[in-house]
Amino acid sequence: MNKGIQWKNFLISIAISVGTGLLAAVLTRGSMMMYEGFVKPPLSPPAWLFPIVWTILYILMGISAYIIYESPVEAQQKEKVLSIYGFQLFFNFLWSIVFFNFNNYLLAIGIILILWGLIIAMIVNFNKINKVAGWLQVPYLLWVTFATYLNIAIYFLNQ
């Protein structure tokens, strides 16, 4: 039975993901000026594109997590899958701090690789519960794959 959108849960889910990104942005403010000063690899996007892409991705994350939260599966399975979601949000947040605030590009590579693996685990597990929730994470995986390329290139080009 379709009970419709539970707006409170929907908005909380989006607020958690967008809030994580917003907190990282506040804590790393000024980082786009630093990004402009890097020697950048080919295909590097302009700094203004990052907040647009990340906002869209955080919204998709929130929608996807909401779908899982409202899915008619046992609580233990939801808890397991949403814990993967929580871990990837943490590593997403951590990467920003390590890369921009600590300027530790090598450690940031390790963190983004862990994040990449967590996103794959999240997609696989979300997909077992709801295929739409899993597919909503694919743009995130693609962007983080691209961000990994940028992180590795910036590490080598700016030593």
Side-chain angles (χ1 to χ4, degrees):
M1 181 173 156
N2 188 353
K3 58 183 176 179
I5 294 176
Q6 303 299 307
W7 287 105
K8 180 181 174 187
N9 292 342
F10 180 78
L11 294 174
I12 289 170
S13 184
I14 290 176
I16 289 168
S17 59
V18 172
T20 300
L22 185 59
L23 180 59
V26 167
L27 294 175
T28 61
R29 65 183 168 271
S31 61
M32 286 300 109
M33 286 188 289
M34 180 177 40
Y35 175 79
E36 290 298 332
F38 288 145
V39 175
K40 293 182 279 300
L43 306 176
S44 294
W48 60 263
L49 184 62
F50 288 96
I52 295 167
V53 170
W54 277 112
T55 300
I56 292 166
L57 294 174
Y58 284 121
I59 290 169
L60 291 176
M61 282 184 234
I63 293 169
S64 187
Y66 165 78
I67 291 169
I68 297 301
Y69 181 78
E70 293 293 334
S71 292
V73 297
E74 63 183 55
Q76 187 177 11
Q77 187 178 6
K78 280 186 208 182
E79 186 178 313
K80 174 194 167 206
V81 173
L82 289 174
S83 69
I84 296 169
Y85 173 76
F87 282 127
Q88 71 78 28
L89 266 181
F90 171 77
F91 277 90
N92 177 304
F93 174 81
L94 183 63
W95 179 87
S96 296
I97 303 302
V98 169
F99 187 89
F100 290 112
N101 288 15
F102 299 148
N103 302 326
N104 191 332
Y105 312 125
L106 184 59
L107 180 57
I109 292 169
I111 291 168
I112 205 167
L113 290 173
I114 293 169
L115 174 61
W116 193 82
L118 286 168
I119 295 167
I120 290 174
M122 180 177 61
I123 290 170
V124 167
N125 283 281
F126 274 25
N127 199 43
K128 289 177 184 175
I129 295 173
N130 183 293
K131 295 203 182 306
V132 171
W135 278 104
L136 284 173
Q137 298 302 320
V138 171
Y140 179 36
L141 177 65
L142 295 174
W143 185 256
V144 169
T145 301
F146 180 63
T148 303
Y149 154 74
L150 291 174
N151 189 157
I152 291 168
I154 286 170
Y155 170 73
F156 284 109
L157 293 172
N158 293 276
Q159 289 195 51

